Amino acid sequence: WLGEVVGREGEDLSRHDKWLCMMYPRLKLLKKLLADDGAIFISIDDNELYNLKSICDEIFGASNFAANIIWNSTKSVTNTALISVSHTYNLLYFKNINYWIKNRTEFRLPDDGEGFSNPDNDPRGAWKADPFQVGGWRPNQQYEIVNPNTGKIYKPNPGCSWKNDLDHFQQLLADNRIVFGKKGDSAPQRKRFLSEAIERGKVAKTLWDDVGTTTNGTQTLKKIFSETPFDNPKPVELIERILQLVTDKNSIVLDSFAGSGTTAHAVLKLNKENGGNRKFILVEMENYADSITAERVRRVIQGYGEVEGTGGNFDFYEVGEPLMINDNLNENVEIETIYNYIWYTETHTQYKKPSGNNSAYLGEFNGTGIYFHYEKGNLTTLDEEFLRSIGIPAENYLIYADECGLSEEYLRRNNITFKKIPRDIKKIWSNEI
């Protein structure tokens, strides 16, 4: 996109301005679409990282910035490069970071049990030894610990403390949760059982080198299509890691630059693994949206080649003509689409065509009768003649038309709200002349 639209480095001095103009309104919209506890991950390389960070700080708020996750996106080395680039950035912002601070235990990865064992055959199962010393000096956590096996005495290092106070330590010791290293003569450590780790989850780090590379993404696509129809696709494991961090089993996941459809693949795979009901929305404006993006989803659901089927279903839509052109209603749009838009704008509910002969009547909502007085190619007027055509009484009336021939006092006295239809009146006048 950078090469085709804004020129390559050095060829167009306004390339960064154009890129920002492309991204800014999209990010503003994506913020509106985010749930109150929502999160957004944005993948970017060195070309626009710092520009992206600046506008994200403005749009989402610098305080809602969580991390810049570095993904080891390729293991191969480019021998012709001065320095071979092996990473991609992923900026993470929250709609409201305070929610996640209060619920930080929800922002966890599944613990894979690595490093856990049971050398003393503890009936509670496998465990891992965590340090019992923490940074920071706390007066009630300064005491001597005696190794019951060797008699060696331990004190916290200067400026440090034991993890718990003395009473809590003695309870842990009695419960066989304190160990003194593999040889029994090193500083005290506390047992953390695998069952506890699985329940609590694992804190994510900002360096991800264990979620596959673009090569893995390419290999997956080849299994699905028997070829590689897309350059540098992300691996399913990367998106699955993101989903594990910020979604629950009923989340809605939007990918507004869908590419090869990896996000949908990851959602379906994770749903199958943990019985989730996550839903995905993919948006792709390139001409491969059906032949690659949607086709991949179809094949993942059904199971193609070496890819196991996930089950599920989805709908594919193509965006029609724009409803508005230069702030004016596009009269080539079907009237039912216009009705749907007006109704949803006013009520935030789904439109259902009412019965009756009055084509302007859209329905009643909370005591208000809603009318859209519209004729393609002709101007309409809200006047007494139109009001006489209204056969359904209501407490209030909301009426769209091109013009209003009634006084403000008349409208107020009869509980009528007039809204002007956004149309190019000059164009309609010229047609009539």
Side-chain angles (χ1 to χ4, degrees):
W1 190 90
L2 285 171
E4 294 177 1
V5 180
V6 302
R8 300 191 179 281
E9 188 74 43
E11 294 177 1
D12 188 340
L13 295 178
S14 64
R15 66 182 296 236
H16 299 293
D17 293 342
K18 291 178 180 178
W19 186 86
L20 289 169
C21 288
M22 184 273 291
M23 286 298 297
Y24 195 91
R26 286 163 171 78
L27 291 170
K28 290 282 285 187
L29 175 61
L30 288 171
K31 182 187 178 184
K32 290 182 180 180
L33 294 175
L34 274 181
D36 291 338
D37 60 348
I40 181 170
F41 287 78
I42 311 170
S43 182
I44 195 76
D45 64 13
D46 289 292
N47 285 298
E48 300 292 348
L49 170 65
Y50 301 104
N51 292 321
L52 176 64
K53 178 68 166 61
S54 295
I55 60 173
C56 284
D57 282 348
E58 177 182 330
I59 293 171
F60 297 99
S63 62
N64 286 315
F65 170 70
N68 181 7
I69 298 168
I70 299 173
W71 167 44
N72 185 187
S73 54
T74 179
K75 304 290 186 182
S76 60
V77 176
T78 303
N79 293 320
T80 57
L82 289 174
I83 184 166
S84 187
V85 177
S86 60
H87 68 279
T88 301
Y89 304 102
N90 292 272
L91 297 184
L92 166 59
Y93 282 82
F94 292 114
K95 181 74 169 285
N96 179 7
I97 199 169
N98 290 326
Y99 168 85
W100 290 96
I101 291 173
K102 292 177 182 177
N103 300 276
R104 66 183 67 213
T105 55
E106 295 180 16
F107 193 74
R108 292 288 188 271
L109 297 172
D111 201 310
D112 55 12
E114 183 180 356
F116 285 83
S117 62
N118 194 2
D120 61 350
N121 295 317
D122 193 306
R124 291 166 289 193
W127 53 270
K128 181 188 290 185
D130 289 342
F132 193 66
Q133 182 175 256
V134 294
W137 192 87
R138 301 176 181 85
N140 64 327
Q141 291 166 222
Q142 304 290 322
Y143 49 88
E144 294 182 347
I145 293 179
V146 180
N147 185 330
N149 301 314
T150 65
K152 187 173 181 178
I153 298 175
Y154 299 93
K155 295 180 180 179
N157 293 332
C160 297
S161 304
W162 297 128
K163 201 166 190 176
N164 304 108
D165 60 29
L166 180 59
D167 288 342
H168 196 170
F169 166 76
Q170 290 174 339
Q171 293 173 13
L172 293 172
L173 185 64
D175 195 31
N176 189 27
R177 284 178 174 259
I178 299 295
V179 293
F180 291 87
K182 293 182 179 179
K183 297 181 180 181
D185 58 356
S186 57
Q189 297 174 299
R190 176 176 174 173
K191 286 183 178 181
R192 176 163 57 95
F193 291 98
L194 178 58
S195 57
E196 298 170 335
I198 292 174
E199 182 178 351
R200 187 176 65 176
K202 184 169 61 175
V203 176
K205 297 181 180 180
T206 56
L207 179 60
W208 292 4
D209 59 358
D210 58 346
V211 289
T213 63
T214 54
T215 299
N216 298 119
T218 299
Q219 291 169 345
T220 299
L221 272 189
K222 194 168 184 179
K223 291 177 181 178
I224 298 172
F225 288 98
S226 300
E227 57 181 343
T228 53
F230 195 89
D231 294 332
N232 300 318
K234 292 181 174 63
V236 175
E237 293 77 12
L238 171 66
I239 308 302
E240 189 173 9
R241 168 72 58 84
I242 290 172
L243 299 177
Q244 289 170 336
L245 278 173
V246 296
T247 69
D248 58 35
K249 291 185 177 182
N250 296 299
S251 292
I252 300 175
V253 181
L254 167 66
D255 187 342
S256 56
F257 294 83
S260 69
T262 303
T263 294
H265 191 160
V267 169
L268 292 165
K269 182 173 179 288
L270 189 58
N271 280 346
K272 183 177 181 181
E273 290 172 353
N274 64 14
N277 189 38
R278 298 169 187 83
K279 297 178 175 64
F280 59 83
I281 302 171
L282 305 187
V283 182
E284 180 51 62
M285 63 185 294
E286 298 294 339
N287 57 12
Y288 54 74
D290 190 10
S291 61
I292 296 177
T293 314
E295 183 60 23
R296 175 181 185 174
V297 181
R298 295 185 189 101
R299 296 188 180 196
V300 166
I301 289 173
Q302 298 170 8
Y304 266 60
E306 300 176 46
V307 176
E308 184 179 356
T310 60
N313 57 72
F314 78 106
D315 296 310
F316 178 79
Y317 298 95
E318 290 188 22
V319 177
E321 290 200 43
L323 189 68
M324 306 293 290
I325 299 177
N326 297 326
D327 297 326
N328 292 314
L329 193 66
N330 181 2
E331 298 205 12
N332 292 322
V333 174
E334 293 183 0
I335 188 63
E336 286 295 322
T337 301
I338 298 174
Y339 290 163
N340 270 281
Y341 173 77
I342 296 297
W343 181 263
Y344 186 82
T345 300
E346 296 294 347
T347 70
H348 293 286
T349 62
Q350 186 175 357
Y351 172 68
K352 294 181 180 180
K353 186 175 181 179
S355 59
N357 298 322
N358 191 329
S359 61
Y361 181 58
L362 302 187
E364 182 177 324
F365 184 78
N366 289 342
T368 298
I370 302 176
Y371 292 81
F372 190 70
H373 185 22
Y374 168 82
E375 295 177 16
K376 183 176 180 179
N378 296 312
L379 295 178
T380 60
T381 303
L382 169 55
D383 53 18
E384 292 188 9
E385 180 182 355
F386 175 77
L387 292 179
R388 283 193 291 271
S389 71
I390 294 177
I392 303 175
E395 297 177 14
N396 304 284
Y397 300 89
L398 172 60
I399 302 175
Y400 284 79
D402 292 302
E403 300 174 324
C404 182
L406 304 172
S407 68
E408 292 287 340
E409 171 59 27
Y410 186 95
L411 295 174
R412 186 167 49 253
R413 188 169 65 249
N414 291 279
N415 299 323
I416 299 172
T417 298
F418 165 70
K419 287 193 176 182
K420 185 177 180 61
I421 297 175
R423 288 214 276 177
D424 189 345
I425 295 178
K426 293 180 179 179
K427 181 179 179 181
I428 298 175
W429 280 343
S430 65
N431 291 338
E432 289 178 347
I433 293 171

